[in-house]
Amino acid sequence: MYRILIASDTHRHIDYVCRAVEAVEKIDLIVHLGDLCADARDLESLYPQYEWIGVRGNNDFWDTGDDERVLERAGVKLFLTHGHAYGVRSGVESLVRRAKTLEAKAVFFGHSHVRTNKMVDGVLCVNPGGYNTMPYPGVMIAEIEDGKLRVCPYIGANFL
């Protein structure tokens, strides 16, 4: 099984991501979906043993890097973006259209701070939420096994 820890919109609040990284047994990849890229770099320096991939968010003005990424892991194509360029606060339709154009099975996005895990027109739309997602800050775990993707929120005892 291939496991991805997904975080977004940390906005200088990385403690909850640290607790999740330390609590999850096996992690193959950590994804940070922007706002703030500096947080992703801080986390990467704290946990260099993991592969890290990130994208820029709307608050990452001075950061260089990608606004979008497409990657394939364990036979599943994933589209990563912060989501602000697709108007995700109003809906995921344009995001889904882009994912389908890229032939991605899922899109991981942030921006709205609203936890999302739903299938829309054949594309799994996943938003972990943000640092202020209550009662649990936003971290999601994606697992890929036998070409199938399953995503669930990380709700650890450390968050209580």
Side-chain angles (χ1 to χ4, degrees):
M1 176 185 350
Y2 190 88
R3 186 173 286 156
I4 305 168
L5 187 141
I6 310 161
S8 184
D9 296 283
T10 46
H11 294 279
R12 303 309 295 169
H13 299 272
I14 64 170
D15 57 318
Y16 70 94
V17 180
C18 291
R19 288 193 301 268
V21 169
E22 291 169 10
V24 174
E25 271 184 42
K26 175 189 178 290
I27 300 171
D28 296 295
L29 171 66
I30 300 175
V31 168
H32 190 283
L33 300 167
D35 284 357
L36 295 167
C37 288
D39 295 346
R41 285 191 300 277
D42 291 346
L43 287 160
E44 186 174 9
S45 68
L46 288 170
Y47 303 101
Q49 68 269 37
Y50 298 112
E51 179 186 5
W52 286 81
I53 293 180
V55 293
R56 294 180 337 136
N58 60 299
N59 287 306
D60 294 313
F61 316 107
W62 297 279
D63 230 289
T64 59
D66 298 319
D67 293 326
E68 300 181 351
R69 298 279 306 262
V70 177
L71 58 129
E72 189 166 326
R73 292 296 189 271
V76 175
K77 190 181 272 190
L78 307 168
F79 170 41
L80 314 178
T81 186
H82 185 63
H84 62 288
Y86 293 94
V88 297
R89 287 190 176 147
S90 300
V92 295
E93 293 76 17
S94 63
L95 193 63
V96 168
R97 280 193 301 277
R98 175 71 172 144
K100 290 179 86 159
T101 299
L102 297 168
E103 299 179 350
K105 185 172 188 173
V107 58
F108 297 169
F109 68 102
H111 188 57
S112 67
H113 295 220
V114 176
R115 183 174 283 156
T116 305
N117 183 9
K118 64 181 179 180
M119 189 67 73
V120 177
D121 199 18
V123 175
L124 183 60
C125 298
V126 177
N127 184 333
Y131 76 94
N132 59 348
T133 305
M134 295 302 163
Y136 305 104
V139 173
M140 301 281 272
I141 304 295
E143 295 176 338
I144 304 171
E145 190 167 22
D146 298 325
K148 295 182 182 172
L149 175 66
R150 182 178 76 89
V151 180
C152 62
Y154 173 75
I155 302 175
N158 291 337
F159 290 164
L160 299 178

